[in-house]
Amino acid sequence: MKLAARVAKIKPSETLAITAKANALKAEGRDVIGFGAGEPDFDTPANIKTAAIRAIEAGFTKYTPVSGTDELKDAIIGKLKRDNALDYKRSQVAVSCGAKHTLYNLAQALFETGDEVIIPAPYWVSYPDIVVLAGGQPVIVDTLEKDGFKMKPEQLKAAITPRTRAVVINSPSNPTGAAYSPEELKALAAVLLDSEILVISDDIYEKIIYANYPFANIATVEPKLKDRTIVVNGVSKAYAMTGWRIGYAAGPEQIIAAISKIQSQNTSNPASISQKASVEALNGDQGVVAAMVLEFRKRRDVIVQLLNEINGIKCMLPEGAFYVFPNVAEIYGRSFRGKKITNSTELIDYLLDEANVATVPGAAFGSDSHIRLSYATSLKNIEEGLKRIKNAVANLD
Ligand code: PMP
Ligand code: GLU
């Protein structure tokens, strides 16, 4: 059957594909430990669930305004003021069905053929394809492990051309966990000051940070960029609400109006019940977030230590999010039963087949020397999973 050409230009989301594969194997009875899914393993906090149940009982089950209710927009405005010292009006906020949908709408609103979008690698799997679906051209800037996987101002400068429309900053990062300090962001901002380049600041892991400096947003650090920055965030990661599908953008009125127009012709509003739950997430007790972050930090310390005990693996200590991105290049060239492992895809296939451990190949994030493990799983799973990986790597010749 003939499909639109755009379908062939993109790949399915590898993070979601691997999670689905691991779940299918588990359903068949295989004892698979999943480090694939990038979603908190904690339950959505009780106060948030109660708000949703109340919404259903009160009949808050109908269409809402396309770009979200005023109540939720006000909660988002309050959050951006409180946490990020950024002021917005309701007309500068649009709520969508997850931050992924926000990014998709944004790309549709901004990019067309010939437009270049700078994406530092390693990058979250979906950025390049979201740009490609809009007809834009991703321009990948390879960051270095020795620089903590952070884009240097010189690298940003070198990537800029007259066609550059935007740069994506994701801090803390999926998949590396790198988090930019306020000074590092200020240095990147300095490169952009003389241009009209937009900044897409994906702050979805904002709350999950372990660095000894606070989370910073480029628009907070350099107010001159605020009129050109679109802040993207959501409730999925901070509040263990991945299934509720609420994300949002805050930025220039014209761009927000364009997102809303596009959304009015595809999904309409995000789920009314999820919007009520998100109001409670943002306005309610934030103690639950701190408790989850504390637990993630413990797991991070354990998983990094266990990975570094494996011959052939080197893992940096992430500063945020809930992923580790170990360098596994030393393993390439070793063989199992005469078959050589030569790249991240072959390695993760081997780990799934022989060790019953699901991980994601670094190639999906633009770095084939690495693999990604999500440590949003119990310490017990981390200890058992890493034992399996250690044995599997030791079994290679
Ligand atoms: N940005 C990044 C960097 C992510 O890792 C994710 C995870 N899915 C998203 C955006 C989208 O999150 P959601 O659609 O669940 O809000
Ligand atoms: N962002 C998560 C991940 O990277 C969830 C899956 C996805 O949306 O890609 O695993």
Side-chain angles (χ1 to χ4, degrees), residues 23-43:
N23 287 341
L25 290 171
K26 276 190 222 166
E28 283 169 18
R30 277 253 307 265
D31 164 31
V32 173
I33 296 184
F35 294 111
E39 68 176 343
D41 52 320
F42 304 110
D43 198 2

Side-chain angles (χ1 to χ4, degrees), residues 13 15-16 36-38 100 124-125 174 205 237 323 372:
S13 162
T15 47
L16 295 178
K100 190 185 271 183
W124 176 45
V125 277
N174 176 4
Y205 295 101
K237 315 289 175 174
Y323 308 101
R372 190 193 81 175

Side-chain angles (χ1 to χ4, degrees), residues 5-242:
R6 71 178 72 88
V7 181
K9 288 190 186 150
I10 60 162
K11 310 165 294 304
S13 162
E14 193 131 15
T15 47
L16 295 178
I18 283 170
T19 308
K21 189 170 171 188
N23 287 341
L25 290 171
K26 276 190 222 166
E28 283 169 18
R30 277 253 307 265
D31 164 31
V32 173
I33 296 184
F35 294 111
E39 68 176 343
D41 52 320
F42 304 110
D43 198 2
T44 303
N47 60 319
I48 299 174
K49 288 195 203 173
T50 303
I53 293 164
R54 290 219 177 104
I56 296 173
E57 285 171 351
F60 193 75
T61 52
K62 304 287 167 60
Y63 293 137
T64 75
V66 167
S67 59
T69 60
D70 282 347
E71 187 190 22
L72 179 52
K73 287 186 184 177
D74 288 347
I76 291 167
I77 289 167
K79 178 255 170 268
L80 291 167
K81 174 92 187 139
R82 194 168 62 235
D83 296 347
N84 312 109
L86 293 170
D87 282 307
Y88 293 100
K89 297 184 288 210
R90 284 181 188 162
S91 56
Q92 294 181 297
V93 175
V95 186
S96 300
C97 310
K100 190 185 271 183
H101 186 218
T102 298
L103 288 161
Y104 182 84
N105 285 339
L106 196 51
Q108 293 294 319
L110 293 176
F111 309 134
E112 53 199 353
T113 310
D115 288 343
E116 295 180 354
V117 181
I118 297 176
I119 302 176
Y123 47 75
W124 176 45
V125 277
S126 295
Y127 296 141
D129 285 1
I130 285 173
V131 170
V132 167
L133 278 172
Q137 176 68 46
V139 173
I140 307 300
V141 172
D142 286 312
T143 68
L144 301 176
E145 202 159 355
K146 74 166 177 54
D147 295 333
F149 288 121
K150 293 181 202 178
M151 181 165 62
K152 294 275 178 200
E154 317 75 88
Q155 290 183 299
L156 174 59
K157 202 168 181 178
I160 294 173
T161 77
R163 295 175 153 200
T164 308
R165 283 289 334 269
V167 53
V168 178
I169 295 184
N170 173 219
S171 170
S173 147
N174 176 4
T176 65
Y180 287 87
S181 69
E183 294 72 30
E184 286 163 338
L185 286 176
K186 186 106 186 162
L188 291 178
V191 176
L192 300 172
L193 279 180
D194 282 341
S195 72
E196 289 179 3
I197 298 169
L198 301 168
V199 182
I200 298 174
S201 181
D202 181 348
D203 300 354
I204 195 104
Y205 295 101
E206 163 184 18
K207 298 284 175 190
I208 307 169
I209 187 157
Y210 326 104
N212 52 11
Y213 39 82
F215 168 81
N217 176 292
I218 197 161
T220 313
V221 169
E222 179 46 87
K224 289 194 194 114
L225 283 187
K226 182 171 176 250
D227 290 346
R228 276 194 271 142
T229 300
I230 304 98
V231 176
V232 176
N233 208 328
V235 295
S236 284
K237 315 289 175 174
Y239 303 98
M241 290 177 70
T242 45

Side-chain angles (χ1 to χ4, degrees), residues 18-19 21-23 25-26 31-37 348 351-353 355-361 371-374 385 388-389:
I18 283 170
T19 308
K21 189 170 171 188
N23 287 341
L25 290 171
K26 276 190 222 166
D31 164 31
V32 173
I33 296 184
F35 294 111
I348 73 108
L351 292 176
L352 187 56
D353 294 344
N356 279 328
V357 166
T359 57
V360 190
I371 60 173
R372 190 193 81 175
L373 287 80
S374 156
R388 292 183 190 182
I389 295 176

